[in-house]
Amino acid sequence: MLSPHEARDRHRHDVITRSLLVGALLCAIFAPFDFFLTGYWVDATVEALGAATLLALGVFLRRGGDRLVAALIGHIIGGAVILTVVLGGKAQDAVFSWAVLFPVLPFFVLGQRLGLLVSIVFATTATVGVTILAVLDGAQGFSWIAPFNLAGALAGCTVLAYFYEGTRAKAARQLETLAKSDPLTGLANRRGLLDAFGGAVLTRSRAPHRLSLLVLDLDHFKSINDRYGHEAGDGVLCHVAHVIKGMIRANDLIARIGGEEFALLLPDTDLAGAREVAEKIRKAIESTALIGPGGSLSVTVSIGVAELDPQYPDFAALFSSADHRLYQAKKAGRNRVSAAT
């Protein structure tokens, strides 16, 4: 099963691949049309080269090539084909419809910032080219109104696409944050933990380092709910989350993964270091009381610790090992740390 991080990368990869293949198909359709029917052999040649290049980029991407490089080159090729047709002195004014379409595509594939840069370069080149043709009164016979119309249309499409992509990206980030967050404590949830683990493993593959996981469970939490009510229980969960957040590093991740169960991901930390962190957290929670409806509430935690290694090579195995150690800590009397050997 793919982690959310891997699924997002896969989706972007598929979008760019399909965009390249659609561009190649359009060029392949127009090339014989311009060569055999309209006689615009220059346009046909450029379209045929564009189809071959875009198809090659699609194959390059499917074989593991860099998606940003493929997308950027693909847009340069697509923009060059459109500019050749618009500025070639053969096509009619209706060809501007293809030029106006272009600014939307970079935002769709490249994102807001890089899409804006590509769109500005294309719009500037197209407007300057049409202005020169209007001044020279070339074969197309563009009037001086044509550059203004083209510049206005390109600017309007670029601005709309820019703000739309910004709004869409912001909404997507908010939804992703909600999907990966626990609404009570504000911590990451299990999905957020999986996503962070995927990112940590990717970083680890580039520059090997240790990676450990702590699984924490509040001792006798049910008795707190039964005696003081669920509101008090929620207060205890938020209290524990606050204590742990105040003790971890910026690159560590704490998540609430169940009712009273938490997990702590520790990059750049071996088993011994993770056990030391676990002991500090255990002692801090034990010694920090919470003022509840029935007075002072004390809570303790049991913690299982495991490190990512060949014996536990993925999240499922790592979590299972830490969870097993948590069970051992509970069995041994609670309020203690148990680490995999």
Side-chain angles (χ1 to χ4, degrees):
M1 180 180 178
L2 294 177
S3 70
H5 180 82
E6 293 170 329
R8 186 167 57 248
D9 281 351
R10 178 68 61 83
H11 173 71
R12 290 173 180 170
H13 184 279
D14 290 343
V15 168
I16 295 173
T17 301
R18 290 167 185 169
S19 299
L20 291 171
L21 295 179
V22 168
L25 178 62
L26 289 173
C27 287
I29 291 173
F30 278 102
F33 175 83
D34 284 333
F35 189 82
F36 292 108
L37 296 180
T38 65
Y40 302 157
W41 63 269
V42 174
D43 295 352
T45 301
V46 172
E47 288 162 352
L49 291 174
T53 305
L54 293 173
L55 182 60
L57 286 171
V59 174
F60 163 76
L61 197 55
R62 282 188 174 275
R63 293 182 175 178
D66 187 284
R67 66 169 181 265
L68 181 59
V69 171
L72 189 55
I73 295 176
H75 279 86
I76 292 173
I77 297 300
V81 171
I82 293 175
L83 289 174
T84 299
V85 175
V86 171
L87 306 178
K90 294 286 186 179
Q92 301 299 316
D93 289 356
V95 79
F96 285 162
S97 60
W98 290 99
V100 174
L101 171 66
F102 183 86
V104 178
L105 303 178
F107 291 103
F108 181 67
V109 175
L110 298 173
Q112 192 177 26
R113 293 184 180 181
L114 191 54
L116 178 63
L117 176 61
V118 172
S119 294
I120 289 176
V121 171
F122 176 85
T124 302
T125 304
T127 303
V128 170
V130 172
T131 301
I132 293 174
L133 289 177
V135 171
L136 296 178
D137 193 26
Q140 252 167 313
F142 290 138
S143 69
W144 63 270
I145 300 177
F148 288 98
N149 285 333
L150 181 61
L154 289 174
C157 288
T158 299
V159 170
L160 288 175
Y162 176 82
F163 284 109
Y164 172 80
E165 176 59 23
T167 303
R168 186 206 63 77
K170 181 179 179 180
R173 288 193 298 269
Q174 290 174 340
L175 287 174
E176 187 174 6
T177 299
L178 289 173
K180 297 191 296 184
S181 300
D182 172 52
L184 175 64
T185 62
L187 302 178
N189 58 16
R190 184 179 288 269
R191 180 179 176 182
L193 177 65
L194 280 170
D195 202 11
F197 177 81
V201 169
L202 183 62
T203 302
R204 185 172 182 262
S205 66
R206 295 171 179 169
H209 61 78
R210 315 302 284 269
L211 180 64
S212 295
L213 179 71
L214 275 57
V215 178
L216 309 82
D217 190 84
L218 275 62
D219 299 326
H220 304 295
F221 182 72
K222 185 177 183 300
S223 63
I224 295 177
N225 280 332
D226 292 343
R227 183 174 181 181
Y228 301 107
H230 288 282
E231 184 177 352
D234 289 347
V236 169
L237 293 172
C238 292
H239 167 72
V240 170
H242 177 74
V243 171
I244 297 175
K245 282 198 297 185
M247 299 181 63
I248 61 177
R249 304 166 301 181
N251 63 333
D252 297 334
L253 180 89
I254 177 67
R256 182 187 174 204
I257 57 175
E260 66 270 25
E261 193 171 26
F262 298 82
L264 178 58
L265 191 66
L266 300 173
D268 301 311
T269 307
D270 60 12
L271 190 64
R275 182 178 184 124
E276 183 178 346
V277 172
E279 279 291 351
K280 290 180 180 178
I281 290 174
R282 184 193 65 79
K283 292 177 181 178
I285 293 174
E286 181 185 28
S287 61
T288 307
L290 172 69
I291 304 301
S296 179
L297 288 176
S298 295
V299 63
T300 61
V301 294
S302 300
I303 306 175
V305 185
E307 181 186 357
L308 190 69
D309 61 24
Q311 187 177 358
Y312 310 111
D314 54 28
F315 181 82
L318 179 65
F319 182 85
S320 177
S321 174
D323 195 53
H324 176 70
R325 294 298 167 177
L326 170 62
Y327 173 78
Q328 294 294 332
K330 292 277 190 181
K331 188 176 180 180
R334 295 183 171 84
N335 190 25
R336 65 191 64 219
V337 173
S338 177
T341 56

